[in-house]
Amino acid sequence: MGSSALWIPILRNSTVMSSSAETPKLPPGPCSWPIVGNAHLMTSESRLADFMEMEKKYGNVFRLYLGKQLAIIVSGRDAIKEAFLTKAADFAGRPILYSTEVFTNGGSAYSVATEDYNPRWNLLRAITISAYKMYTNDVRKQAEVYNDEFDRLLQRVQAKNGEPYDIKSNILAAAINAFCVMMLGSRYELDDPEFIRLAEIESGIFMMFTEGFLVDVFPCLKFFPFKSIRAVKELSDDRDKILGRIYREHVEANRVQNPQDLTDALIKATKEAEEEDPSNKGMVTDQHFIMLMNEIFIASVVNFANTLAWGLLYLVHNPSIQDLVHQELDHVVGPDRLPDIGDKQSLPFLEATINETMRLASVIPLSVPRKTTVDTSLLGYHIPKDTTVFTNLWSLHHDPDFWDAPNEFRPQRFLDKDGKFVPPNPEHFFPFGVGIRNCVGESMSRIETYLVLARLLHSFKFETPPGCDMPSLEPAPQAFALGPKPFKLCAIKRHDV
């Protein structure tokens, strides 16, 4: 991975920490290089395995220097629990990056994912949670939105007649349109120029941030004309034009008494928060609102598509498990209809397969980075204020102390002796993050993942194209998120869609 993959959160105005002035109470860690510190470790394609080895050597909390910025890697159940549950507020900050300043209109529009831990963040999160509850109150209505869009996906897959097919890009397109219905109230035709541009914007921004920005490690480089930073600015400007127009249309429609989509629900939740506490009035601007729509878009779409792609890959590599999913679907659903939300409780093996995919893939392996808000401690070590904090969820999800054969795809680990689904231990399993900054859209994402995978596997058997090697299970070289490398599969028809 090149130096452009150095997407390492750095608080530009934070207290500078250097190895030469190391405090004895700080966590241990590897020696750092002049100027770059240990930043090279974050760019290595073997970084997750390397961090697990460092964990064995230094313990569940160890330090790195990213340039001159102190960072810690937190892993293991006890350390994660102490940091993000017991001392949640101490570890609830968000590093301020130069790239995110560009992304958020000069830092004027931070939202739930990018805002630091402060009263506005609390308000934005409360508004988002309230809006999600309004929108997801009717689960069947929500499922209908997904079913309509993803049934179109099934038809496109069936039209390929078993020929090799880039299923991930088509899942992504369907997910974007499902989001548009959910968030914006209407869908696009796939050849609509605005839909194409919106997909380019959100996918482009996500990819750039997962690949990283050198300027976030060395802020002095912000004066250089990096193409990647200019690209983020251009994409962000176009994003604001499209989402800004749609937001203003929702404000003018004034449907707060009867919200039709998630944007209406967000507007209603904002008004209610302002009426409940007048001091909230004006705290959330139009630009904050547009950024909130954008963050929900990225969180709802790209990680979902990565999870589904990994699930299909694991099933192709483990055909006996795919056969068991097919058998369960045939027994519960039968050949004459598609699975629906009402079948979910009767499909324990499919539910186990989804959870095993989330565990094994761990698509956000180091979580979204945080920072400490005060001088604090962790496992007896001193952690200064403004320290960048990475949560090693990959290590926790592959810890042999909690998971038998952790590197194997075994959905059966989530079933009891009678074949009933056993939810993962909440202390060992955090696919949607942990603590007060975890993903607020988890329930919606789980419903979407279930519906899409259930319908794909009911309708098709997925295989490697004849004469081709198995697709790689090595992730694409990205610093932040883990998506599979490009692949094609053959979808062999099982039942009519």
Side-chain angles (χ1 to χ4, degrees):
M1 195 180 308
S3 61
S4 64
L6 287 167
W7 189 87
I8 313 298
I10 302 299
L11 178 60
R12 296 185 293 130
N13 297 317
S14 66
T15 302
V16 171
M17 307 297 298
S18 68
S19 56
S20 61
E22 196 168 327
T23 304
K25 292 183 180 180
L26 291 177
C31 295
S32 59
W33 293 359
I35 302 178
V36 300
N38 307 109
H40 62 287
L41 297 176
M42 300 297 293
T43 70
S44 170
E45 292 187 22
S46 63
R47 65 192 178 285
L48 298 176
D50 293 342
F51 287 162
M52 291 185 76
E53 290 303 311
M54 291 182 199
E55 181 183 340
K56 295 175 184 177
K57 181 176 182 179
Y58 300 114
N60 287 333
V61 182
F62 61 89
R63 57 113 182 99
L64 302 173
Y65 288 97
L66 309 175
K68 292 185 177 181
Q69 170 66 29
L70 176 64
I72 59 171
I73 309 293
V74 181
S75 57
R77 178 191 61 188
D78 294 341
I80 290 174
K81 183 177 179 180
E82 180 181 342
F84 304 113
L85 298 178
T86 305
K87 299 178 178 178
D90 292 4
F91 290 84
R94 186 72 82 207
I96 304 302
L97 316 177
Y98 178 70
S99 59
T100 54
E101 287 188 3
V102 174
F103 171 66
T104 57
N105 198 16
S108 64
Y110 292 121
S111 192
V112 174
T114 48
E115 181 71 78
D116 201 358
Y117 185 64
N118 56 36
R120 179 161 42 224
W121 176 82
N122 277 300
L123 176 60
L124 285 165
R125 184 173 174 86
I127 289 170
T128 306
I129 292 172
S130 177
Y132 267 114
K133 287 181 178 177
M134 289 182 210
Y135 185 76
T136 60
N137 186 49
D138 187 343
V139 175
R140 287 195 172 275
K141 182 179 179 180
Q142 179 190 349
E144 288 174 4
V145 171
Y146 296 137
N147 289 344
D148 179 67
E149 190 56 47
F150 285 102
D151 285 354
R152 298 171 191 263
L153 170 65
L154 297 182
Q155 293 166 7
R156 293 195 294 272
V157 175
Q158 181 169 284
K160 294 297 179 179
N161 294 316
E163 294 297 314
Y165 187 53
D166 179 5
I167 186 69
K168 181 187 173 183
S169 65
N170 284 274
I171 289 174
L172 182 59
I176 291 172
N177 235 338
F179 166 85
C180 289
V181 177
M182 173 191 78
M183 189 81 197
L184 312 179
S186 60
R187 72 177 302 278
Y188 291 89
E189 294 301 323
L190 297 187
D191 59 356
D192 186 301
E194 185 167 276
F195 174 81
I196 293 171
R197 184 55 181 160
L198 195 58
E200 290 173 346
I201 290 168
E202 301 302 343
S203 298
I205 288 174
F206 182 84
M207 286 301 297
M208 287 181 184
F209 275 95
T210 59
E211 290 173 355
F213 297 96
L214 190 62
V215 68
D216 289 331
V217 180
F218 305 106
C220 61
L221 297 178
K222 68 181 181 180
F223 301 106
F224 289 80
F226 286 103
K227 289 182 180 179
S228 56
I229 292 294
R230 289 203 306 271
V232 168
K233 180 67 169 63
E234 292 171 1
L235 291 170
S236 299
D237 289 345
D238 285 355
R239 169 206 66 203
D240 292 348
K241 290 176 184 176
I242 296 174
L243 294 183
R245 189 202 76 238
I246 294 170
Y247 165 66
R248 289 187 293 272
E249 290 172 354
H250 277 71
V251 172
E252 292 170 4
N254 191 22
R255 295 187 291 258
V256 294
Q257 298 306 317
N258 184 28
Q260 300 298 303
D261 54 42
L262 189 54
T263 297
D264 286 338
L266 286 166
I267 293 171
K268 180 177 181 179
T270 303
K271 290 183 178 296
E272 289 178 346
E274 291 175 345
E275 290 170 358
E276 182 178 335
D277 184 352
S279 67
N280 289 332
K281 194 169 183 64
M283 191 178 294
V284 178
T285 66
D286 289 354
Q287 196 62 38
H288 287 112
F289 210 101
I290 294 167
M291 185 57 58
L292 181 58
M293 294 167 67
N294 174 74
E295 288 182 356
I296 294 173
F297 190 119
I298 292 177
S300 300
V301 170
V302 184
N303 288 336
F304 161 77
N306 277 335
T307 300
L308 261 292
W310 280 120
L312 292 177
L313 282 181
Y314 293 145
L315 291 171
V316 168
H317 276 261
N318 296 271
S320 62
I321 293 176
Q322 186 175 180
D323 287 343
L324 290 172
V325 175
H326 289 154
Q327 291 171 25
E328 181 179 71
L329 286 164
D330 290 345
H331 174 72
V332 173
V333 178
D336 299 326
R337 67 176 180 89
L338 289 167
D340 207 342
I341 191 65
D343 300 309
K344 191 171 186 290
Q345 298 300 319
S346 301
L347 296 168
F349 195 85
L350 177 62
E351 187 69 17
T353 298
I354 291 170
N355 280 269
E356 178 68 346
T357 296
M358 292 179 177
R359 181 199 70 83
L360 189 57
S362 295
V363 294
I364 308 294
L366 298 177
S367 194
V368 180
R370 304 189 192 184
K371 74 170 183 182
T372 48
T373 57
V374 294
D375 285 349
T376 186
S377 63
L378 183 58
L379 297 188
Y381 294 113
H382 173 63
I383 311 296
K385 182 178 182 292
D386 293 333
T387 297
T388 298
V389 182
F390 294 91
T391 316
N392 195 342
L393 299 180
W394 175 272
S395 173
L396 184 65
H397 292 166
H398 294 78
D399 190 334
D401 289 342
F402 304 131
W403 309 98
D404 184 37
N407 295 318
E408 295 182 11
F409 186 66
R410 289 187 181 181
Q412 292 89 340
R413 70 176 81 245
F414 297 118
L415 300 173
D416 65 14
K417 61 182 176 62
D418 298 318
K420 295 180 180 180
F421 177 67
V422 179
N425 187 321
E427 292 188 348
H428 309 157
F429 189 67
F430 300 109
F432 294 91
V434 56
I436 59 177
R437 295 201 80 137
N438 70 330
C439 177
V440 298
E442 176 176 353
S443 61
M444 184 181 294
S445 179
R446 284 186 175 277
I447 290 171
E448 186 178 16
T449 302
Y450 157 75
L451 286 170
V452 179
L453 196 59
R455 290 184 167 223
L456 282 171
L457 292 172
H458 179 271
S459 303
F460 305 102
K461 178 179 181 179
F462 290 91
E463 298 178 349
T464 303
C468 296
D469 293 335
M470 278 283 187
S472 174
L473 290 178
E474 289 296 316
Q478 299 169 356
F480 174 57
L482 295 182
K485 294 178 180 178
F487 66 94
K488 291 184 178 181
L489 297 177
C490 294
I492 309 303
K493 179 180 172 181
R494 299 182 66 246
H495 304 301
D496 287 330
V497 299

